[in-house]
Amino acid sequence: MNQLELARAKDFWPNRTPELRHYYDTEWGQPSHDDRYLFELLVLEIMAAGLSWQLALRKRAGIGAAFADLNVDRIAAMGPAEVDGLLQDERIMRNRRKVAAVIANARALQTLIAEWGTLDAYVWHFTGGCQQVGHWQDYHDLPQRSPLADTVSQDMKRRGFTFVGPVIMHNYLQGAGVIDNRVVVTS
């Protein structure tokens, strides 16, 4: 498969919509060290679970607004009344388990930040601060999970995070640029 074939492959996820292509070209796999962005990606991965990433991107602004502009402390302080309000908010995926996970993860993140200083320091320590680069020549070979994601998932669950299974964490780590699984076509 050459670059032109890859660019035209309809089943390659970034080619499904202009929104996905833009995200892939401008964000996905780009190393990020911005705590707000890293938390936003985690929230979006939770919201997208079982659905499509395209839907999460379309609702991205609404998700941020509904969840206190992604302010960890304000989300962590949310109680039953706020949850009830969120479950009525059409800007987000109105799923009680996902809303509860975002709030629980904000609380777990407060504890994590008290220990690590930043989400960035925590996320990147698993790779010694270095991006893991995959060497894939065919997008059909891209893995759905990785040993790194398994490790991060287990550690985050131990710390009280929820909705952080290995597949979600693999997607998260790719989005944050900790893992770069861009397809590199050499022929």
Side-chain angles (χ1 to χ4, degrees):
M1 174 173 287
N2 62 38
Q3 288 290 359
L4 182 59
E5 291 169 330
L6 179 64
R8 292 181 177 161
K10 295 284 186 207
D11 61 336
F12 184 41
W13 71 267
N15 294 339
R16 293 181 189 144
T17 69
E19 293 160 305
L20 291 173
R21 171 50 62 187
H22 179 75
Y23 172 73
Y24 181 81
D25 288 344
T26 62
E27 291 184 58
W28 190 84
Q30 302 298 317
S32 178
H33 298 281
D34 178 87
D35 265 25
R36 186 194 178 285
Y37 180 74
L38 292 172
F39 182 60
E40 177 187 29
L41 286 179
L42 183 59
V43 171
L44 291 175
E45 286 294 345
I46 291 166
M47 289 286 135
L51 302 171
S52 71
W53 188 246
Q54 180 181 346
L55 179 61
L57 289 177
R58 283 187 180 157
K59 291 189 174 249
R60 185 180 199 171
I63 291 168
F67 282 102
D69 294 321
L70 300 171
N71 179 296
V72 173
D73 294 329
R74 287 177 50 205
I75 295 170
M78 289 181 172
E82 288 89 356
V83 170
D84 290 343
L86 287 166
L87 293 174
Q88 302 304 313
D89 194 327
E90 293 181 4
R91 298 175 296 176
I92 70 168
M93 291 71 165
R94 295 175 290 173
N95 177 296
R96 185 173 295 277
R97 289 182 58 227
K98 290 179 180 185
V99 169
V102 170
I103 295 168
N105 289 350
R107 293 173 183 155
L109 183 55
Q110 287 177 313
T111 303
L112 184 140
I113 289 172
E115 178 182 348
W116 285 89
T118 63
L119 177 57
D120 170 59
Y122 171 77
V123 168
W124 284 92
H125 97 274
F126 289 98
T127 63
C130 298
Q131 185 181 48
Q132 288 193 345
V133 180
H135 300 283
W136 310 100
Q137 294 188 2
D138 190 314
Y139 65 95
H140 293 102
D141 296 332
L142 292 173
Q144 298 300 306
R145 63 189 280 180
S146 62
L148 174 60
D150 292 346
T151 299
V152 175
S153 171
Q154 289 172 357
D155 192 69
M156 290 185 86
K157 286 178 182 178
R158 182 181 62 77
R159 294 172 179 278
F161 287 84
T162 62
F163 258 88
V164 291
V167 174
I168 288 176
M169 289 317 300
H170 184 69
N171 291 337
Y172 172 75
L173 294 170
Q174 289 179 112
V178 177
I179 297 173
D180 180 0
N181 273 341
R182 290 187 179 276
V183 176
V184 179
V185 181
T186 57
S187 59

